[in-house]
Amino acid sequence: LLDVRADVEFTKGAFPTSVNIPILDDEQRRLVGTCYKEQGPEAAFDMGRDLMNPEIQAQRIHDWTNFIEAHPNGFLYCFRGGSRSNIAQQELKKVGIDFPLVEGGYKAMRTFLIEDLEKSIKELPMVMIGGRTGSGKTHLLKRLPRHVDLEGLANHRGSTFGRLVDEETTQINFENSLAIEFLQLRNA
């Protein structure tokens, strides 16, 4: 998945394995959003186009092309599958690349995942494994043919180990990953 939302949006929540190559940086997004609220969509669109000077545009197309070459079966999305993803798709078509976009964007995929997560919770049999830190819960889970490692998805290391490894994931990213894990279990 090629995510063209601004970094600030991507940081708040994204899908596992998605790559963020934004069409606008955070400041540009803020300026366009303010313009949209104060002057309307046409003025905001014009401002966004003006902010994409030829140098920035060439760099974005280069980065998107590299992503697409590495992930030819991927999809492109922005927040609602609107202007940003359509503009990115049009720019790619100008250089001969036809890359599909996700209808409804991040919002539609996230809605689907949350609804499917609720369905999975109702339908899948669940057993919770608990125990003290260091007692081997994760090792036991890894030996089971069907499992979901909640601590692993959350990148949680417990109070004993503190933050010695990577930071814990955001709540939104945890929910997205959990929903995908359950979806895969239900369809296995």
Side-chain angles (χ1 to χ4, degrees):
L1 291 170
L2 173 56
D3 187 330
V4 297
R5 298 176 302 150
D7 289 333
V8 67
E9 295 169 286
F10 186 81
T11 301
K12 286 181 184 176
F15 300 110
T17 72
S18 62
V19 174
N20 183 229
I21 307 173
I23 195 166
L24 299 172
D25 65 28
D26 292 341
E27 178 61 15
Q28 291 169 329
R29 176 185 172 268
R30 186 189 68 74
L31 292 170
V32 169
T34 301
C35 181
Y36 184 93
K37 287 178 186 173
E38 294 175 356
Q39 300 174 36
E42 191 173 313
F45 183 82
D46 291 342
M47 175 184 272
R49 187 179 52 238
D50 292 343
L51 290 171
M52 286 291 289
N53 67 50
E55 183 180 310
I56 292 173
Q57 187 176 13
Q59 184 62 51
R60 296 286 194 269
I61 292 170
H62 176 264
D63 293 344
W64 294 336
T65 301
N66 286 342
F67 175 88
I68 292 165
E69 287 172 358
H71 306 92
N73 296 319
F75 283 82
L76 164 73
Y77 70 92
C78 64
F79 187 69
R80 285 184 292 273
S83 295
R84 291 179 287 178
S85 57
N86 280 297
I87 290 167
Q89 189 179 51
Q90 290 169 9
E91 292 302 317
L92 288 165
K93 283 182 181 178
K94 288 179 186 175
V95 296
I97 298 172
D98 189 18
F99 199 62
L101 60 85
V102 174
E103 294 297 327
Y106 176 84
K107 188 174 182 180
M109 288 191 298
R110 172 114 169 108
T111 299
F112 168 79
L113 287 177
I114 294 303
E115 288 171 358
D116 197 75
L117 176 60
E118 291 173 11
K119 185 176 179 181
S120 293
I121 290 169
K122 291 176 184 172
E123 292 180 8
L124 288 172
M126 294 190 203
V127 175
M128 188 181 323
I129 299 173
R132 295 178 182 261
T133 299
S135 63
K137 299 180 298 290
T138 302
H139 295 294
L140 175 61
L141 274 178
K142 301 294 182 195
R143 294 174 59 192
L144 299 173
R146 293 171 48 102
H147 70 276
V148 174
D149 180 0
L150 296 176
E151 287 187 348
L153 289 177
N155 209 23
H156 180 66
R157 298 295 179 250
S159 58
T160 302
F161 301 111
R163 292 189 181 251
L164 297 177
V165 193
D166 296 330
E167 283 192 37
E168 292 181 9
T169 189
T170 65
Q171 181 66 31
I172 291 171
N173 286 347
F174 171 75
E175 291 167 358
N176 289 341
S177 295
L178 181 61
I180 291 168
E181 289 279 329
F182 280 149
L183 183 61
Q184 290 171 339
L185 282 175
R186 278 199 9 249
N187 292 306

